[in-house]
Amino acid sequence: MSDVRWAVSATVMLMLAGGCAGLKSPEPESPPEPAEAVEPAPPAPDAIEPRPAPVLPVAPAPEIRRVLDYFRGLRKLSGAELAREYDNARSAFARTRSDYDRARLALLHALPDAAFNDESRALELLEPLVRSQNSMLNDLAFLMHSFVQQQRRLGHSLQGVQEKLDALKALEKSLIERQRGGEKRK
């Protein structure tokens, strides 16, 4: 189950991050320059309207690419290697306080089933990046923040379902024991 969760988490994160990387803020429009009042000629009946040029995908910013490559590398690490990487990322962030190291550490805290998984800390680390419109990692941080919040909600829902399942198992066990006790009396 944890492998499936890991794979789904990784796939969703990479797909959404790749999609956000191509987004650009709209450029402010420059005021139109005054032109001579010339009435345009009506189009010829056979004229074909030109089609707008297709929008080509934009390569992600180098910082976003670094974080995505880092995430891709994390998936290949064993538990011990992941623990070492967590220590390295934590000390790097303490030293540099850079956006990249902040995103790395948040990503590690958001990993499901990791010993150092701490969704609250991941959200806390991502907040400044989400608020900063000047950060190259703003869009990716927003995506990660949304992802971690959703992961957290699903975890709470799963916990509630597990509690209900445990209660049903206890009820079933008590009914079986009561039934066995009734058979002994007969």
Side-chain angles (χ1 to χ4, degrees):
M1 174 88 170
S2 66
D3 289 339
V4 171
R5 226 169 120 191
W6 174 263
V8 169
S9 297
T11 302
V12 168
M13 196 116 164
L14 288 173
M15 286 178 15
L16 291 174
C20 284
L23 298 177
K24 285 189 171 183
S25 300
E27 297 287 328
E29 291 185 26
S30 60
E33 294 186 22
E36 292 182 24
V38 176
E39 193 171 310
D46 309 354
I48 299 174
E49 287 188 36
R51 292 186 180 179
V55 177
L56 299 175
V58 178
E63 289 292 307
I64 292 174
R65 171 61 52 204
R66 282 179 64 200
V67 174
L68 294 175
D69 288 343
Y70 178 74
F71 179 71
R72 197 171 288 123
L74 287 178
R75 295 186 50 219
K76 299 173 185 174
L77 299 180
S78 68
E81 292 169 324
L82 204 54
R84 274 193 302 279
E85 183 55 35
Y86 171 72
D87 290 336
N88 291 340
R90 198 172 43 149
S91 63
F93 177 64
R95 232 182 12 262
T96 67
R97 307 296 282 184
S98 71
D99 288 353
Y100 171 71
D101 287 328
R102 178 181 292 275
R104 279 178 53 200
L105 188 56
L107 187 58
L108 284 160
H109 277 297
L111 290 176
D113 301 325
F116 40 80
N117 174 273
D118 185 351
E119 292 162 347
S120 297
R121 180 71 176 130
L123 292 171
E124 189 179 297
L125 285 163
L126 291 169
E127 282 295 326
L129 295 176
V130 170
R131 284 193 308 262
S132 172
Q133 295 297 315
N134 298 330
S135 173
M136 294 286 289
L137 296 174
N138 174 267
D139 292 333
L140 181 62
F142 180 76
L143 173 73
M144 289 171 60
H145 193 274
S146 300
F147 174 76
V148 173
Q149 284 179 324
Q150 182 65 24
Q151 182 175 309
R152 190 181 215 186
R153 278 192 289 275
L154 290 173
H156 290 309
S157 296
L158 185 62
Q159 186 178 4
V161 169
Q162 184 63 48
E163 289 170 1
K164 289 176 183 175
L165 180 62
D166 292 343
L168 284 172
K169 285 180 179 178
L171 179 62
E172 180 185 33
K173 185 178 178 181
S174 72
L175 288 173
I176 290 171
E177 288 174 359
R178 192 181 309 171
Q179 196 174 35
R180 285 183 185 160
E183 290 175 2
K184 290 180 183 178
R185 290 184 201 156
K186 290 184 180 182

